[in-house]
Amino acid sequence: MAAAGPSVFLLMVNGQVESAQFPEYDDLYCKYCFVYGQDWAPTAGLEEGISQITCKSQDVRRALVWNFPIDITFKSTNPYGWPQIVLSVYGPDVFGNDVIRGYGVAHVPLSPGSTSVCENICFRHKRTIPMFVPESTSKLQKFTSWFMGRRPEYTDPKVVAQGEGREVTRVRSQGFVTLLFNVVTKDMRKLGYDTGPPDTHGILGPSPPQGLPG
Amino acid sequence: MNPQEEKVKIITEEFIENDEDADVGRQKTSRVQRRKRKKQLPTAGPDEMVSEKSHLGDQQEPGHEDPNADARPLSMPTRRGPRSLPPIPSASRTGFAEFSMRERMREKLQAARSKAESALLQEIPTPRPRRLRSPSEKELETEFGTEPGGKIQTTQQEDDSQSYSRVKFRDSVRKIKSKTPVPPGFPSAEEAYNFFTFNFDPEPEESEEKPKAKNRDGANQEEGEGEEEEAPVPEGIDKTDEEVLLDDKDAVDFLLGLDRGAEDIVAVRPADYESVHIRLQKEKELLFIPSRRTVPTYKKLPENVQPRFLEDEGLYIGARLEVPRTNQNIMENRLLMQEPGRRWFGDDGRILALPNPIKPFPSRPLVLTQEQDIKAELETLYKKLQALRNAVQVSLNPAKTPKSLDTTRRAINEYKSEIRQTRKLRDIEQEKDRTLLKTIIKVWKEMKSLREFQRFTNTPLKLVLRKEKVDQKADEEAYEAEIQAEISELLEEHREEYEQRMDEYRSAHQQWKAWKKAQRTKKKKKKQGVEEHPDDEMEEPYPEEDPVKPVPPEPTNQAVIEQEVRERAAQSRRRPGEPMLVPELSLAGSVTPNDQCPRVEVLRREDVKRRSVYLKVLFNDKEVSRTNSRPLGADFRVHFGQIFNLQIVNWPESLTLQVYETVGHSGTTLLAEVFLPIPETTVVTGRAPLEEVEFSSNQHVTLDHEGVGSGVPFSFEADGSNQLTLMTSGKVSNSVSWAIGENGIPLIPPLSQQNIGFRSALKRADAISSIGTSGLTDMKKLAKWAAESKLDPNDPNNAPLMQLILVATSGESYVPDFFRLEQLQQEFNFVSDEELNRSKRFRLLRLRSQEVPEFRNYKQIPVYDREIMEKVFQDYEKRLRDRNVIETKDHIDTHRAIVAKYLQQVRESVINRFLIAKHHFLLADLIVEEEVPNISILGLRLFKLAEQKRPLRPRRKGRKKVTVQNLSDGDIKLLVNIIRAYDIPVRKPITSKFQQPPRSSRTFSEKQAASPTTHSPTHSADYPLSQVLVRPFVEVSFQRTICHTTTADGPNPSWNEELELPFRAPNGDYSTTSLQSVKDDVFINIFDEVLYDVLEDDRERASGIHTRIERHWLGCVKIPFSTIYFQAKIDGTFKIDTPPVLLGYSKERSVVAERGFDPVRSLSEGSYITLFITMEPQLVPGESVREKFDSQEDEKLLQATEKFQAECALKFPNRQCLTTVIDISGKTVFITRYLKPLNPPQELLNAYPNNPQATAELVARYVSLIPFLPDTVSFAGICDLWSTSDQFLDLLAGDEEEHAVLLCNYFLSLGKKAWLMMGNAIPEGPTAYVLTREQSHYLIWNPCSGHFYGQFDTFCPLKSVGCLIGPDNIWFNIQRHDSPLRINFDITKPKLWKSFFSRSLPYPGLSSVQPEELIYQRTDKAAAAELQDRIEKILKEKIMDWRPRHLTRWNRYCTSTLRHFLPLLERSQGEDVEDDHRAELLKQLGDYRFSGFPLHMPYSELKPLIEAVYSTGVHNIDVPNVEFALAVYIHPYPKNVLSVWIYVASLIRNR
């Protein structure tokens, strides 16, 4: 097997759920999970995570900082179903019930690269995800859901990573979450997948793909 | 403004101060002084003035009616300068008029004063007292002349208006304060006069202070003449000034300076006169009168530009509108004077203009169209006749005709004949015209009489017969002339004819004469030689007899002809002097309003209102669009006014409009189809005329009101004669045309498409083809013709034709013969199709994305083809191959194989449907949202708010249900709690010879009564009390995983153990659908653990124990996984399915039983086990598909069912209420349609002819022998599908409903009172049972097992009853309890049972979906025997396979014994043969220790049989010298229902 070249490629993602902007809310925590296609499998790391509750910063930015690390490695045979990270942010409402404050999703960056910390250099994999929540179907329901602390939620947060069936929902957007990604891939090029700019440190020229990777 | 104002003040002052001083002359003289004083009392005047202003308004009217009103016109010109005016007119006239006026005014003032206070602030609109009517023409002219000056003035006034407005404001404040400045009863003449003069004041004040901002008070009339007014306003001032007072300078001073207060002198001067010339000159300066002379071209064009005539250059210019030259010139001159004048002129120096928009054909008022057509035709005919006549006249005059005589004559002849024809045609047309007119009048009269009769009209149609008076004399003359002309023509014609005939006659006469002569000579000759030529004589006379003497034609009689002509004229033509009647149809008639109509008519109108019509547009028989639904108008017109753009990709073949009618809210009906022709290529948008296409439908409509239906005969006459039948018909007015693309090219399909139909259509209506250019197929010819005929290529009218020619001749627009849907597909293919098909990886990927079941959950498809094993596809390919091949390996019996295949296909199609439905999401699928709570829940919630968030002693909450999304193998466990069992059979000591009293077959009743007691004495005698009766343990096997409990003691053991079995979903697919379709069963087997002492040698007994454990199967409980999945948990006591014969065991007859404490129990003797089964984690069961299935049921019935169900669900949400079900084709069917008496097989009826109960049992048994296959398994996730009984028997598989329906139908046919009973049972969950009513009690039948229970049987598996269903009604249980033990089954009591059909909704007599009769084929016995052998063989092989490490010996003797015994069992239905059997066996196999039992099953497939044999564990015996016996017996029942008996036994030889 080793002689025949790799049969899977690997995708290592680490980074963090850095911070969020929710002007109206405070004391939020966030959950993340990954959604990926059938040809993907996590090999190491955590697929799901739940962060601490954070309060707003007292400065002008009013940022909610989690700095919650993500670290996961996938293996796959097929770029179809590239992993997506699904975020859902929760926080207490007026009555102290935990309610949803936003859902969001982003694809793991396709190209390898790391985040530069320096302010002046552009962040390659810094993502700011707009968040949204489903809306109540009627005014009355809106009131009762507010009153009872049972806001409409997705049956599964992973719904936001799929396009099917979304047409039946209505959402309202609120807030942003900033994510940082560092991505390392292995053997992608060997299998014939070229992502991002040519890596000067990588293999010199793509090796001819054996077989027919699709 | 201010100057005027000031003047007013002055005047008022005057009057106030010198109250008595009415003398006008004095006024004048003293004015100067007073004016000086004005400053001392600056506000007094306005005060006064304003306060009285309103009186003024009131009294205006009377003033006008004054007889002295003639004075008014005189004062008119002074209207704008009132301040200076008063003195003058009064001075010039005598004081009398003035005086009398004053008197009147005083009186009026008195009266009005009281009113004044209230009306003070209102500005009452009054008609202007003065109009500008009086000024003479001349004055008008001067007005214009002075206008500029006036304008200056106005602007100045405007400047001042601001300062004035301040004053005004003050005034208005004061207005309020000084309401009554003049004490009542003080109406002096001065005051009156004052008042009178003020008449003029307020108005200019009002009108000028806010000239534009708002309407002048009451100035509406003046507003209309704004133009007139604006000029006079300033001009009036001027004029009066000029006329009355001052010289120019003073006037200016006066005007400008008054407000400055510099000069207070007012001088009276004579009227100023301006000469006409000066005025004209002034006018000339100001006015521009465009000259009427032609403007030279160079003026109209930019410098140094030559006029350019586009027409000469070959460009198309449309016909210009006809405008008189002078008007054009005036316009041009005017335009030239304007600033950007030249841009109005085109390159040719003419005013730019669009082509004449007027179409050349006449339009006419709405008149009956047909008549008009004939009229037009008549006219043309007339004209033609006239022209021809003229031509004849002209050509007859030889002097005028330069042509040769010959041609002339020919022409004349032609003309004449044409005249004749034309006349004939004219006459015909005339007659037609007359009759038409007559019918029109007749119809109108009928209509009128009908309207009168009905006393209302409902259409605005109105026929007006316009009489055109004709000059009697002229008409007569014309008539006469016409007749004369005709007569003369006829005469001429006749003469010609006569002459011709004369000629003929002459020639004939000549001939005749010649012949005569010849005859004579011949005769002479004959006389000479009669003898010589006898033959000749005979022959000759015949041919020569022909020429008869011609009769000379009669000369034409003029009188006759004249009479003829006159007669004809009288018949067909209008009599001279008779007025010409021109019928005109209009829609101007009034329709009787609704409130005046009789009720029936109102009804009719309402009905009409309810109707609406819409059209569907069908293109090539496909609906492409439809119009809005529009209500039918009162005049039966519907206006759509919609344009549909149709982009077509197929060749246009047909275009159809379908007219649909909607009545109220009910369904639509197709009225008619209207076929439209495909438009010609020349018909382009904007040029297509509206066409009317008639349609009619043969639909019969009867209406319950006055309106005439269609297809119904009726009569207008009162006596009902003259019947008419009207059909629904109408006209669709439409226009079809080709669109024009962006660049003006009509979007017409190219002609290169050789479509004959299209071309012929083109030929039919194209103008060119009628011209004579033969067809349009030859484009070159057409082009040539176009070139020759000098067709203007630029005329837009010809554009399509030119386009066509261009396209056709240039050949540029090549259109391929094929059409490619996705043109770029090729480019997007990243590998070629062959490669795509060859690659295993791609194939796998594709299959997965197609959701093929085998691959739906395939994970990690390898990167390389070489890593994909060929066997991955094997199953799939095999399945594909097998789809059509019926294999008989698994299915020994071919019929069942076919059925299985069919079921498989139904299942696949249903699953596909379900998969599609799965992709339709509802909000609830994606979003969890709390429902709006009702009050009680809300209250609870409120209560909860007060609760502690985290209580110390939390309450038990329901397990969280897990959605089956991210589950994998090993996540799901099946938990089985075995609690206890009752009445386990106990071992019997092996008594060597047991004598059983021989018994004949017993009757049912005897069996019931006797069975508990018969054995007891003998048995109990046998048992040594100390011996352990039985040591049972329970083994649970699921998916071949086996767990067992510890061993307990005694017939009523208690284990209380929890067993945990892992669950694996097929293909690792944990989706809901997949879980639902798991067919595995949970087997709960009860065994007896038997220890055998195998110690060979008794001597060793002291030192060791050598025993062997044997396990004897006692019975089993089988629970399908699907039940557990849907029920989430199963909790209850189940009857253990024990074999009918359990050798070596017997039921313990407890002492209790003998006391006979429960006769109830006697019915259901058996063993029971208490279980609790659930899954961990709890899975959310899949929902049934929410698709609404279509139905053929009546809409009302469906609504009623919904209502019924909703009501029931509200009251008892947990009780099952079923009204409609889905049949096998996916349609909703009302449930009672399934119930109908159906004949059971005759064979079963014949078995016990005298015992209805036994027959019933047999029938139940027969039904239970039909294999059970739950719908949820076959149709995963889809609600129950109900098949009819014949379908059920054909399929030989079904679940509880089908069994129950069939059993119920049989019972109905047996004459029992039977109902389908929907309820909950253990372990099935929601299920269907059958309830029958015996003489005194009710029996509950389990259709799947064939068992029956009394109503009060505690072990009845049915735990609750939801509803009962009979063949004609549904009864819902509304009693407090639903357990069959506690409810009353008397459905006649409406308090206990809510019935579906009641008095309010009577049973409509629904037809049954069941067949008339069931037809049973006798099962082939030979086939059954063969099957029996094969099964036996296979089972034997299987047992040997299961014992790989041991030798399996078959005891043939025992087997044959068993085989003989099995039919016996079948005959007795597995009951009470035990003792006989045992005795017999013992007799025959006395040397063996025997353990075995018969298994009884319905036959469906082989697999369940094997599974059942395996589960007994007979093969597990590993005693070395064990022998086996296996016998299979199949008893065939009609319709291929097979009852399978398998007797498995192990034998160990006793030493």
Side-chain angles (χ1 to χ4, degrees), chain B residues 288-293 329-335 337:
Chain B
F288 167 66
I289 299 165
S291 105
R292 295 177 179 181
R293 257 170 276 160
N329 287 342
I330 289 170
M331 191 67 201
E332 282 179 4
N333 276 314
R334 184 179 293 163
L335 288 174
M337 284 304 288

Side-chain angles (χ1 to χ4, degrees), chain A residues 4 6-7 38-39 41 77-78 134 136-137 141 150 152-156 164-165 168 191 210 212 214, chain B residues 835 841-842 845 848 856 859-861 863-864 866-867 919 921 923 925-930 932 941 965:
Chain A
S7 62
Q38 284 177 314
D39 294 321
T77 58
N78 191 349
S136 295
T137 40
Q141 293 220 327
R150 296 290 301 266
E153 282 179 30
Y154 282 120
T155 47
D156 185 356
E164 203 178 32
V168 300
L191 292 173
Q210 299 130 331
L212 286 156
Chain B
E835 199 158 353
R841 175 178 155 84
F842 289 147
L845 284 168
R848 187 175 68 180
R856 200 181 299 153
K859 284 186 174 145
Q860 296 250 329
I861 291 173
V863 191
Y864 303 114
R866 60 168 185 269
E867 291 169 24
H919 286 275
F921 285 86
L923 184 67
D925 298 333
L926 288 180
I927 289 183
V928 188
E929 190 175 22
E930 291 278 294
V932 176
R941 293 274 170 170
Q965 292 204 350

Side-chain angles (χ1 to χ4, degrees), chain B residues 332-572:
Chain B
E332 282 179 4
N333 276 314
R334 184 179 293 163
L335 288 174
L336 275 175
M337 284 304 288
Q338 277 180 4
E339 202 37 56
R342 286 216 178 102
R343 72 185 166 109
W344 285 100
F345 296 102
D347 288 341
D348 56 351
R350 299 176 76 185
I351 297 174
L352 295 171
L354 288 172
N356 191 350
I358 296 167
K359 293 195 172 171
F361 43 83
S363 62
R364 46 175 113 94
L366 187 69
V367 180
L368 293 178
T369 46
Q370 210 184 345
E371 211 261 349
Q372 271 297 330
D373 288 347
I374 284 179
K375 268 266 155 75
E377 213 171 314
L378 255 182
E379 252 164 59
T380 53
L381 283 172
Y382 255 116
K383 276 183 189 154
K384 200 174 170 190
L385 199 60
Q386 222 65 49
L388 284 169
R389 274 180 189 164
N390 287 344
V392 172
Q393 287 292 317
V394 168
S395 49
L396 271 177
N397 190 345
K400 280 180 189 171
T401 49
K403 293 173 195 168
S404 73
L405 207 67
D406 191 34
T407 52
T408 320
R409 186 159 296 158
R410 207 186 304 142
I412 287 169
N413 281 341
E414 268 170 26
Y415 285 158
K416 277 184 178 168
S417 70
E418 216 164 317
I419 284 172
R420 248 164 258 149
Q421 277 176 4
T422 317
R423 195 175 52 225
K424 235 175 259 169
L425 278 174
R426 184 202 62 185
D427 287 345
I428 292 166
E429 292 291 333
Q430 241 168 0
E431 212 173 322
K432 237 192 246 174
D433 185 36
R434 257 185 101 72
T435 48
L436 202 61
L437 190 65
K438 272 182 200 161
T439 44
I440 286 171
I441 292 167
K442 193 179 155 228
V443 167
W444 173 242
K445 272 186 184 151
E446 261 175 25
M447 200 151 123
K448 249 164 94 178
S449 70
L450 188 68
R451 280 182 182 173
E452 267 160 31
F453 171 69
Q454 286 180 324
R455 287 191 303 279
F456 59 83
T457 55
N458 43 22
T459 46
L461 276 183
K462 192 177 172 187
L463 185 80
V464 180
L465 283 172
R466 193 151 47 81
K467 274 187 189 169
E468 271 181 22
K469 281 273 176 173
V470 273
D471 184 3
Q472 175 100 18
K473 212 174 158 195
D475 202 38
E476 255 168 56
E477 270 167 23
Y479 185 74
E480 200 56 39
E482 187 71 17
I483 284 178
Q484 287 305 328
E486 208 177 318
I487 289 167
S488 65
E489 270 169 26
L490 273 176
L491 271 178
E492 200 176 321
E493 199 183 307
H494 276 277
R495 207 177 301 133
E496 261 172 45
E497 210 178 306
Y498 173 72
E499 267 162 29
Q500 208 180 326
R501 282 225 292 255
M502 244 352 226
D503 285 347
E504 275 170 24
Y505 164 71
R506 265 174 218 137
S507 59
H509 196 70
Q510 219 85 47
Q511 267 183 350
W512 184 75
K513 268 183 181 167
W515 178 74
K516 258 286 200 249
K517 233 180 238 173
Q519 198 80 345
R520 261 179 228 143
T521 49
K522 266 184 189 173
K523 270 186 181 168
K524 279 173 192 168
K525 276 181 192 171
K526 273 179 205 166
K527 278 171 187 172
Q528 289 163 1
V530 178
E531 284 86 24
E532 295 142 45
H533 304 287
D535 293 353
D536 286 49
E537 217 189 352
M538 289 309 286
E539 286 169 12
E540 270 178 16
Y542 291 104
E544 307 222 351
E545 231 170 8
D546 276 350
V548 191
K549 190 187 175 188
V551 186
E554 285 170 35
T556 41
N557 186 352
Q558 196 177 343
V560 171
I561 288 175
E562 194 176 333
Q563 204 187 337
E564 261 176 32
V565 168
R566 277 186 193 280
E567 249 171 46
R568 206 167 344 137
Q571 216 172 56
S572 64

Side-chain angles (χ1 to χ4, degrees), chain B residues 659-729:
Chain B
V659 187
Y660 281 88
E661 186 191 29
T662 318
V663 184
H665 297 291
S666 57
T668 56
T669 48
L670 172 65
L671 277 186
E673 284 198 328
V674 177
F675 295 93
L676 304 181
I678 305 294
E680 306 303 329
T681 46
T682 52
V683 180
V684 195
T685 305
R687 200 170 301 128
L690 270 188
E691 282 165 14
E692 289 194 332
V693 186
E694 288 195 25
F695 65 86
S696 93
S697 96
N698 52 1
Q699 187 193 20
H700 285 256
V701 180
T702 359
L703 301 172
D704 46 1
H705 50 74
E706 275 285 272
V708 178
S710 76
V712 182
F714 73 101
S715 165
F716 279 124
E717 322 294 326
D719 57 347
S721 63
N722 208 355
Q723 288 219 327
L724 284 172
T725 307
L726 290 187
M727 289 299 185
T728 309
S729 63

